[in-house]
Amino acid sequence: MNNTNKQRFSNPVLPGDHPDPSVIRVGSDYYMVTSTFQYFPSTLIHHSRDLVHWKPIGHVITRRSQLDFMDIPDSHGAFAPDISYYAGKYWVVIPYFHGQPRCTNIVYTADRPEGPYSDGVVLNHHFIDPSIFNDDDGKRYLAFGGGWVHEMAQDGSRLIGEARQVWAGTGGSTPEAPHIVKRSGWYYLLLAEGGTAFGHMETLARSRSVWGPYEASPSNPILSQQDPTKPLQKAGHGKLVEDPDGNWWMVHLGGRPLTPNGATPLGRETFLEPARWTDDDWLEVGNEGAPLEWIEMSQKAALTAAISQEFTDDPVDRFEGKELSPVWEWVRHPLENKFRLTAAGLEMDCAAYPLYVPGSTLLLTRRWEHFGFEAEACLSFAPQTLGEEAGLLLYRDMDGMLLASIRNGIGQTSGQKFDVSRSHEKQEHEGLYLQIDRSEKCFRTTLYQVRLELPVGADIWLKTRLESTNGQLSFSYSIDGIHYEGIDLSVPAAFLYPENYARYKCYTAPRVGIYAMGVKYQPEGKVLFKSFSYRGVDAAKASSVLEESLE
């Protein structure tokens, strides 16, 4: 590489809730898929020209008929996917984790990386993290967690023969995420061991046959973070890709805890490491096996174009397209025929659904990408029934969320508790109210409430801000989009962090978004979301670029 053309970029390359990355290169284009669990559409697809700057282009699961997320618990659903390219098609195999008692590995195909993808073909009911390996003799194989390998028919319709466990790793817990690469006559098998937390690591073995026996690398683990004071932790679940210049890279998941061994508000993110083959045909990754905070790249022309595009993107979504941007995902499936994109924005009906049951919702979310951020929605609320609400949402799972809403009325009729100590007072009030509720462990508590002198259907702007310095969420609102009224309320965001789950171990990270909700058996009003904006307000911006090139 020519050092004069190098630039430095910060890890992670895909910040926020993007775990379990799988990458391929087709020509000069890279495509990556990551896990989405209970969210829909499912299995997000990103595109890049340089492995640093990524743009979401679609999802694999866009129809409920492809995969149904109803009735599954939080952090179940679409686990670690794998993407490959074979016979002119894109192949994505997804482990559907439903806990009955295993998972089901299902393969989908498309002519274009962004889809649309086919209905799925069930390959087996076994362990998680399947991946497809296409050998140079035309044979195909499915690898899956535990170091198992099973031959697959060339058309992907079925598995052939019996599965074999070819290498179970070095003794670390939960050997997962197998990926096979063939180079110089060697079959290399990658595994993620130690669990997807602070003991995570990537290990490697090789064999002259896909069926083994496999010899473990003398440098195992080839990737791990062993210094708890470093900002990048939980490194593992990696996959290799070769660039057009013959350089090798590994994408992998990791996390950035606030303190050593502490909480990771942004969950498991996607990182990039340089990989080098040694003279004795083993692999070195990162900085002597440790993840790098900064990556050096030499593809200056491609990077310059990507950087220019990234910094000119409009942070405001006005919902002007025929479809929602791929950054948006619903909590499970959206209620059918209860939302629509119009010329004026995204319209939702105030339909009824329970917050705490794994069913259809009108909770629309996008990922946190920064330790500090500001999000704002402009909406017009036209309710028909007392108790209807719509507004901003900060969401971890069914057991942890914060709702900043415009409500139609307060009191028992609108679904609130009656205060028996004030039974002599009037506690039923009509009109529009701004309300902030903390919902935790299926119990909703009102933190703030104020009457709004606002006519039905008028525009209102709701804003929330997370401070990276203290982890506090604050709120404000405006009736003109210019002058904002601050709310005398500060809420610690820590209860939303994935480490603070109540029932099911949380594999997802917090999200921010919008929602609408109504009252069962009552007429449904509407809310029109005219815009939504998100911007980072800290130094942890994805793919931060040093202004100067390295000399």
Side-chain angles (χ1 to χ4, degrees):
M1 290 186 182
N2 185 351
N3 288 339
T4 61
N5 292 329
K6 287 186 180 180
Q7 288 182 307
R8 296 178 75 196
F9 301 88
S10 64
N11 254 327
V13 294
L14 206 54
D17 190 18
H18 296 287
D20 310 321
S22 171
V23 66
I24 56 165
R25 177 175 63 86
V26 180
S28 59
D29 296 281
Y30 300 92
Y31 302 100
M32 184 155 58
V33 291
T34 52
S35 299
T36 48
F37 299 93
Q38 71 266 32
Y39 291 95
F40 178 87
S42 171
T43 311
L44 184 58
I45 309 160
H46 278 83
H47 169 250
S48 176
R49 287 292 184 94
D50 57 20
L51 287 170
V52 173
H53 303 88
W54 294 90
K55 181 179 181 180
I57 58 173
H59 291 81
V60 176
I61 307 298
T62 56
R63 307 179 302 276
R64 186 171 170 181
S65 59
Q66 292 174 289
L67 200 59
D68 196 331
F69 298 104
M70 298 289 283
D71 303 323
I72 61 166
D74 293 324
S75 289
H76 289 56
F79 267 43
D82 175 67
I83 187 168
S84 58
Y85 185 73
Y86 177 83
K89 290 184 178 292
Y90 295 87
W91 302 69
V92 177
V93 57
I94 298 174
Y96 176 38
F97 185 72
H98 41 66
Q100 301 174 18
R102 306 178 181 89
C103 79
T104 299
N105 295 315
I106 309 172
V107 66
Y108 302 85
T109 60
D111 295 325
R112 299 178 300 167
E114 68 273 24
Y117 281 78
S118 67
D119 289 338
V121 173
V122 173
L123 293 178
N124 66 357
H125 304 280
H126 214 287
F127 201 44
I128 58 173
D129 299 0
S131 67
I132 294 174
F133 168 62
N134 302 304
D135 207 344
D136 49 20
D137 62 1
K139 290 189 175 182
R140 310 184 73 192
Y141 302 90
L142 183 75
F144 46 94
W148 290 78
V149 174
H150 205 152
E151 187 176 350
M152 186 173 74
Q154 288 191 351
D155 63 1
S157 63
R158 68 195 188 284
L159 298 177
I160 300 170
E162 298 294 328
R164 302 185 203 171
Q165 190 176 31
V166 298
W167 187 60
T170 62
S173 65
T174 56
E176 301 168 330
H179 290 289
I180 298 174
V181 172
K182 191 175 185 181
R183 180 183 180 273
S184 301
W186 289 104
Y187 294 87
Y188 293 90
L189 175 59
L190 289 159
L191 281 180
E193 298 185 52
T196 183
F198 289 101
H200 211 195
M201 58 183 173
E202 193 71 23
T203 58
L204 178 71
R206 71 184 183 188
S207 172
R208 289 298 186 182
S209 167
V210 70
W211 298 113
Y214 280 85
E215 169 195 8
S217 168
S219 300
N220 278 331
I222 61 168
L223 178 68
S224 67
Q225 180 58 271
Q226 300 183 20
D227 184 346
T229 67
K230 295 295 186 181
L232 308 187
Q233 299 288 328
K234 305 183 179 182
H237 201 114
K239 186 178 181 181
L240 294 167
V241 65
E242 184 180 13
D243 71 24
D245 297 325
N247 304 305
W248 286 78
W249 303 87
M250 177 181 282
V251 297
H252 66 93
L253 72 76
R256 292 179 289 167
L258 296 175
T259 58
N261 297 313
T264 52
L266 299 181
R268 298 173 302 156
E269 307 172 276
T270 290
F271 295 78
L272 178 69
E273 309 293 340
R276 299 165 297 279
W277 296 100
T278 62
D279 291 341
D280 55 355
D281 289 323
W282 285 112
L283 189 67
E284 296 178 349
V285 180
N287 178 20
E288 298 181 347
L292 291 165
E293 296 178 48
W294 294 90
I295 316 151
E296 292 185 1
M297 302 285 285
S298 66
Q299 303 164 353
K300 188 172 182 180
L303 290 173
T304 301
I307 295 165
S308 174
Q309 176 62 36
E310 182 191 44
F311 287 113
T312 56
D313 283 347
D314 190 345
V316 180
D317 190 340
R318 297 178 177 83
F319 306 107
E320 296 172 319
K322 294 182 179 180
E323 297 180 346
L324 288 168
S325 164
V327 304
W328 292 107
E329 291 164 358
W330 300 91
V331 177
R332 295 181 178 82
H333 301 284
L335 289 169
E336 292 185 15
N337 304 316
K338 297 299 181 181
F339 74 97
R340 60 210 61 89
L341 287 163
T342 72
L346 173 61
E347 186 178 70
M348 294 188 197
D349 298 333
C350 293
Y353 57 92
L355 280 175
Y356 315 120
V357 174
S360 293
T361 71
L362 289 174
L363 307 175
L364 183 61
T365 70
R366 56 152 296 156
R367 293 156 179 81
W368 295 9
E369 297 176 6
H370 305 80
F371 290 106
F373 66 84
E374 198 170 74
E376 178 187 77
C378 174
L379 61 126
S380 172
F381 186 42
Q384 289 195 33
T385 298
L386 289 176
E388 291 182 322
E389 58 185 286
L392 280 176
L393 170 74
L394 294 148
Y395 189 86
R396 184 193 68 221
D397 55 25
M398 290 186 296
D399 291 316
M401 65 190 89
L402 201 60
L403 306 106
S405 64
I406 308 301
R407 292 183 60 90
N408 185 32
I410 58 172
Q412 280 187 297
T413 304
S414 57
Q416 297 179 321
K417 284 189 173 182
F418 182 79
D419 187 347
V420 295
S421 68
R422 298 168 49 222
S423 58
H424 61 286
E425 300 178 22
K426 180 181 178 182
Q427 297 185 46
E428 294 276 353
H429 299 279
E430 297 183 356
L432 298 184
Y433 286 78
L434 172 59
Q435 184 167 303
I436 299 174
D437 292 338
R438 172 171 169 159
S439 179
E440 193 172 11
K441 299 179 182 178
C442 301
F443 187 79
R444 187 167 173 175
T445 303
T446 297
L447 306 178
Y448 179 87
Q449 191 180 82
V450 65
R451 173 74 181 261
L452 294 172
E453 299 302 327
L454 187 74
V456 168
D459 289 348
I460 187 167
W461 285 257
L462 299 178
K463 183 184 292 187
T464 185
R465 181 183 177 99
L466 175 63
E467 297 293 345
S468 61
T469 55
N470 58 15
Q472 298 287 317
L473 288 159
S474 60
F475 301 87
S476 58
Y477 68 97
S478 173
I479 59 173
D480 60 10
I482 300 173
H483 304 96
Y484 283 79
E485 182 77 23
I487 293 173
D488 187 18
L489 176 69
S490 183
V491 182
F495 85 101
L496 296 171
Y497 296 167
E499 290 77 11
N500 293 325
Y501 61 90
R503 287 181 289 177
Y504 306 105
K505 186 172 183 178
C506 187
Y507 291 119
T508 59
R511 298 185 174 213
V512 61
I514 53 181
Y515 81 103
M517 183 180 294
V519 180
K520 203 170 185 67
Y521 307 124
Q522 297 299 309
E524 296 176 355
K526 300 181 187 300
V527 58
L528 179 67
F529 289 97
K530 296 185 175 182
S531 66
F532 182 94
S533 65
Y534 172 95
R535 67 180 186 91
V537 292
D538 64 16
K541 186 182 190 305
S543 306
S544 299
V545 183
L546 292 185
E547 293 295 333
E548 70 277 5
S549 297
L550 294 178
E551 297 298 333

